[in-house]
Amino acid sequence: MSDNPTPSRPADVGAEGRNTAPDKSIAADKGTAPENATAAPENATAADKSAEAPARRPRRRRPRFSVERGWFPPLGTKGRIALVASLLTGLLTHGYHLFRYPLYLTDEGIYMQRAWSLVRETSLSPYTYDYDHAPLGWITLAGWVFPLPKQFETFGNAINTGRFLMLLVHVAAVYLLFEIARRLSGSVLAATVTSFLFNVSPIAVYFQRQVLLDNLMMLWLLLSLFMLLRREVTIRSVFGGGLALGVALITKENAIFFVPSFMYLLYRRVKGSASSRFTSTLWPFAAATPIGAYVTYALLKNELLPSGFDFDLNNPPADHVSLLYTLWWQLNRNQGTLFSHTGLLQTSWLVRDKFLLIAGVCAMVMCLWIGTRDRRRNLGFLIAGTLAFGYAFYLVRGSVVLDFYVTPLIPMFALCVGMITDRLLKGSFANRFMRGAHSLTRVAVPSFVAVLLLVSPASGYLVHTNTEGRTQIADQYQSKINLTGMQHAQIAWVRKHVPPNSRVIMDDDLWGELHDVRPFYPYAHSHWNASSDPDVRDKLFKKKWQNVDYIIMSNKMRKSMMTNNSDGRENWILQALRNSTRVWSETEGNIKLEIYRVQ
């Protein structure tokens, strides 16, 4: 018998359970120290190893989801089905009735007018470009129109051609938003709910069909965010994300209110990596590149600074326009609060979709609360909440806000609602039965809410109650409603009765029709340019109402003329209106279009 203690487990039990005699005792022969005598022999069988397993500490499993580390669950078959369904839904809701509803907007005409100027005259505007907006939005529109077979008339007229691009932009945005929601939440359900609201919300359908810089800006912002949420933070993804953000900023400047969230996400993604210093420098450099090109353009034209470095808002520079002066003027514009009974919140936004706006605010607050409580585990909630909060702050801060400025907030609210919906329906239950019921509930509850939103007249998603108290298909899908047809009829009357050499004052939505389709109306100008552009105001009309032949009017244009006339610049146009006779009129709902012949 050996002097050393024998192992504590039997050595004569083989892997098959057969009795085998120990053939060696390495510890006894070599005089191993007693504290090592209990170690398992090197030739231990499988049964020996399995006997030791309970005594070992279980290995920690790697987390299946982490935004910070780029551990995103795979899309899977169900996710692909949900993504395809979301894309088809967006194509249907935004494509149906696209050219008839809503009414052509003044800003749609302005952006297509400037795209026309790029294609036809290779200039940023047919009038003096005053840096009111960065130009990449209508550069994109011009790039879309130029290769088309009939260019601006490919889809009937200039604004229709731009609206078809908005449809493609929306479908691309649905894909990006779906993937962003899935990667921020780790849930296909959250991505599906987000895409559903983004597709079917009446306020989304109304504004995202229109040719707006906000829609193009959001596409670039979503692309930038998507690049920062790649599985691996590479030089390519960082540079691409920064460049996309820079493009968004020179598409529309209010993209800057999303920048803090993007910077924080980048910081968390590259924190602790060997290339963190390089990538955190590369990203702002890429973002600044498009902005630098825009500033260089203004510098080369001697339009960066106002004359004498004078930023007096009461005395605009008279000799040339200025990029920095225009930015200073925009920062100092004040309109009042959105929360008054006459504000856009009451008169425009809540009327179109109370559910998304109210639920979005609540979900935004919950995302911020969840994200700040545990910033490491709930980074996705923190990013979603801050994205929505940053832009909501821009809307309520008191500056001038137009109704379509709410457009970038729609996907952010949809994202917050989708993530909170998934979070509320996700949880651990005490027994297996409840866990099984919970998995069904996570699908059943959102489906029930979706059906309720679609069929309830109060929501206005698919049906609504008209002014006569009857339930009917919502305006965005009502085939009998043809709002843009009123404008087509207005143009038809002009072509039939108004000579092409007439001096016409109109709204910008008609500009493309009268300048790009024969017979051309070279002296047809918007009331804004007729009252503010020196070349039009002083040389063509000479600020005399007697030099106006026709006024093509809408009730929105009349209201805009009254609003913009605080300094009396449109007095002579209003005097021409008082000395005119109405020769054509058409009304549908709260929309009234008219044509006046000046005496």
Side-chain angles (χ1 to χ4, degrees):
M1 178 177 292
S2 173
D3 295 334
N4 293 328
T6 58
S8 59
R9 56 178 177 79
D12 56 347
V13 180
E16 302 294 334
R18 296 185 300 269
N19 293 332
T20 56
D23 54 343
K24 293 182 181 179
S25 180
I26 300 175
D29 293 341
K30 296 189 176 181
T32 308
E35 57 269 24
N36 295 330
T38 57
E42 291 183 1
N43 60 346
T45 61
D48 297 333
K49 294 179 180 180
S50 63
E52 286 185 347
R56 295 177 181 175
R57 179 177 297 178
R59 298 177 62 184
R60 297 183 63 182
R61 297 182 62 184
R62 175 175 131 169
R64 292 182 298 173
F65 170 68
S66 172
V67 176
E68 187 172 8
R69 296 177 179 270
W71 295 341
F72 307 125
L75 184 59
T77 302
K78 293 182 180 179
R80 293 187 183 94
I81 294 173
L83 175 57
V84 171
S86 298
L87 294 173
L88 293 177
T89 301
L91 190 64
L92 177 63
T93 57
H94 285 63
Y96 181 75
H97 217 222
L98 174 66
F99 300 145
R100 295 187 173 190
Y101 180 89
L103 193 75
Y104 295 140
L105 188 70
T106 299
D107 288 74
E108 291 185 280
I110 292 174
Y111 304 140
M112 294 310 301
Q113 167 196 124
R114 294 182 177 184
W116 179 92
S117 181
L118 276 168
V119 174
R120 298 284 188 261
E121 300 176 345
T122 64
S123 62
L124 291 179
S125 174
Y127 304 101
T128 302
Y129 174 53
D130 57 2
Y131 298 92
D132 55 338
H133 287 301
L136 195 65
W138 57 88
I139 292 175
T140 304
L141 291 170
W144 155 252
V145 167
F146 183 76
L148 296 177
K150 295 183 180 179
Q151 293 192 334
F152 291 93
E153 282 71 54
T154 300
F155 294 93
N157 60 43
I159 295 181
N160 281 353
T161 302
R163 283 191 176 186
F164 192 84
L165 176 62
M166 294 302 105
L167 176 62
L168 301 180
V169 165
H170 175 75
V171 173
V174 170
Y175 170 78
L176 294 173
L177 187 61
F178 185 97
E179 280 297 293
I180 288 168
R182 187 179 68 85
R183 297 183 185 194
L184 287 177
S185 65
S187 168
V188 170
L189 177 64
T192 305
V193 173
T194 299
S195 300
F196 172 80
L197 293 173
F198 188 56
N199 281 328
V200 305
S201 167
I203 194 171
V205 173
Y206 184 85
F207 289 118
Q208 288 165 6
R209 287 181 177 183
Q210 297 177 351
V211 186
L212 299 174
L213 301 182
D214 307 73
N215 292 323
L216 294 170
M217 176 195 77
M218 277 311 304
L219 178 67
W220 292 110
L221 281 173
L222 292 174
L223 179 60
S224 177
L225 186 56
F226 175 78
M227 297 295 287
L228 291 180
L229 290 172
R230 299 287 298 272
R231 291 185 181 274
E232 295 183 3
V233 181
T234 62
I235 293 177
R236 183 182 302 176
S237 63
V238 170
F239 183 81
L243 189 63
L245 177 63
V247 170
L249 286 166
I250 63 168
T251 299
K252 196 164 185 183
E253 299 85 347
N254 51 14
I256 196 171
F257 288 90
F258 295 100
V259 171
S261 299
F262 282 58
M263 294 177 65
Y264 182 70
L265 176 60
L266 175 68
Y267 164 74
R268 292 289 298 273
R269 290 300 314 271
V270 304
K271 179 182 178 181
S273 66
S275 60
S276 61
R277 181 174 297 180
F278 175 74
T279 52
S280 59
T281 305
L282 177 64
W283 186 80
F285 171 79
T289 301
I291 301 172
Y294 181 43
V295 173
T296 302
Y297 170 83
L299 183 63
L300 292 175
K301 295 196 67 178
N302 193 29
E303 294 174 348
L304 179 63
L305 296 170
S307 301
F309 206 70
D310 185 5
F311 286 88
D312 184 5
L313 297 177
N314 296 320
N315 296 294
D319 53 346
H320 65 79
V321 295
S322 166
L323 168 60
L324 294 182
Y325 181 89
T326 302
L327 290 175
W328 179 248
W329 170 74
Q330 289 180 338
L331 288 172
N332 285 274
R333 289 193 300 170
N334 188 284
Q335 186 181 34
T337 178
L338 291 175
F339 302 102
S340 66
H341 67 281
T342 58
L344 290 174
L345 185 64
Q346 296 288 340
T347 60
S348 178
W349 299 345
L350 288 175
V351 172
R352 292 191 170 93
D353 193 350
K354 293 181 181 178
F355 172 81
L356 179 61
L357 296 179
I358 296 174
V361 171
C362 297
M364 176 188 72
V365 173
M366 294 178 69
C367 282
L368 291 172
W369 181 70
I370 294 172
T372 53
R373 285 187 65 198
D374 190 343
R375 287 178 292 177
R376 185 180 63 84
R377 296 179 59 188
N378 297 317
L379 176 60
F381 285 90
L382 185 59
I383 295 300
T386 54
L387 285 170
F389 178 80
Y391 196 77
F393 169 77
Y394 162 69
L395 294 178
V396 303
R397 79 192 199 284
S399 183
V400 173
V401 175
L402 302 180
D403 57 352
F404 56 83
Y405 282 16
V406 74
T407 304
L409 191 60
I410 296 170
M412 301 299 108
F413 273 176
L415 177 62
C416 291
V417 173
M419 294 181 64
I420 291 298
T421 299
D422 179 71
R423 182 63 173 253
L424 292 177
L425 295 173
K426 184 189 294 181
S428 58
F429 288 77
N431 55 65
R432 186 175 302 173
F433 171 76
M434 291 300 293
R435 284 198 298 270
H438 176 63
S439 63
L440 297 176
T441 304
R442 290 186 65 207
V443 177
V445 171
S447 300
F448 174 76
V449 174
V451 172
L452 190 64
L453 286 172
L454 291 175
V455 303
S456 173
S459 69
Y461 273 50
L462 189 58
V463 295
H464 76 126
T465 303
N466 61 18
T467 54
E468 300 175 356
R470 297 178 181 177
T471 299
Q472 63 180 30
I473 299 296
D475 290 348
Q476 59 266 29
Y477 310 117
Q478 176 60 262
S479 58
K480 293 182 180 179
I481 292 181
N482 186 8
L483 298 185
T484 60
M486 299 171 62
Q487 290 164 306
H488 296 320
Q490 193 177 40
I491 287 291
W493 194 96
V494 170
R495 293 195 180 283
K496 186 175 181 180
H497 298 93
V498 178
N501 62 347
S502 299
R503 289 165 294 189
V504 179
I505 290 179
M506 59 180 184
D507 213 347
D508 284 289
D509 55 82
L510 305 177
W511 200 96
E513 286 271 20
L514 297 181
H515 285 261
D516 197 59
V517 180
R518 294 181 182 274
F520 302 136
Y521 288 77
Y523 306 121
H525 300 282
S526 73
H527 68 95
W528 175 260
N529 289 304
S531 62
S532 60
D533 191 297
D535 289 336
V536 180
R537 180 191 61 205
D538 301 331
K539 295 180 181 179
L540 177 63
F541 292 105
K542 300 179 181 179
K543 296 180 66 175
K544 294 182 178 181
W545 69 267
Q546 294 89 345
N547 292 330
V548 181
D549 297 318
Y550 288 87
I551 299 177
I552 307 176
M553 176 72 70
S554 68
N555 52 345
K556 278 195 171 183
M557 174 178 162
R558 186 188 296 268
K559 181 180 179 181
S560 177
M561 290 170 64
M562 297 294 185
T563 304
N564 296 329
N565 198 38
S566 58
D567 56 357
R569 66 173 62 187
E570 303 209 30
N571 280 340
W572 61 276
I573 302 177
L574 293 172
Q575 189 175 0
L577 187 61
R578 289 191 292 267
N579 290 275
S580 62
T581 303
R582 187 172 63 188
V583 294
W584 181 90
S585 177
E586 187 169 333
T587 302
E588 184 170 335
N590 61 350
I591 298 170
K592 186 176 183 179
L593 304 183
E594 300 168 300
I595 299 176
Y596 290 87
R597 181 189 292 117
V598 181
Q599 301 296 328

